[in-house]
Amino acid sequence: MSNANYPVCQLTKRELFAAMAMQGMGNWVPNADHGPFNWDSPQAVGELKARWAIAQADALLAELERKA
């Protein structure tokens, strides 16, 4: 990911893409279909969303790099 750390508006592309992914999850409400997890813990849910957003950003950067 040669350009993943290039700043965009003081954010790296990775940070920007992760933020955009997290923003899209703002209205996502977990339920039992999402597997065994402590959905009553706001901290645990926040950590899960953060990990997911970072994974989405990394996947997007990898795909963009592959197509470049």
Side-chain angles (χ1 to χ4, degrees), residues 28-44:
W28 178 67
V29 179
N31 59 41
D33 293 339
H34 293 99
F37 191 77
N38 183 7
W39 299 113
D40 295 327
S41 168
Q43 180 177 354

Side-chain angles (χ1 to χ4, degrees), residues 1-64:
M1 292 184 220
S2 61
N3 64 359
N5 291 318
Y6 183 78
V8 177
C9 300
Q10 303 303 313
L11 295 174
T12 64
K13 287 182 181 180
R14 184 177 191 230
E15 291 167 336
L16 178 62
F17 293 159
M20 293 167 70
M22 270 193 112
Q23 184 178 21
M25 289 190 71
N27 293 328
W28 178 67
V29 179
N31 59 41
D33 293 339
H34 293 99
F37 191 77
N38 183 7
W39 299 113
D40 295 327
S41 168
Q43 180 177 354
V45 172
E47 290 171 3
L48 176 67
K49 287 181 178 183
R51 285 194 306 272
W52 180 86
I54 292 167
Q56 296 303 305
D58 288 345
L60 177 55
L61 286 167
E63 185 65 17
L64 290 171

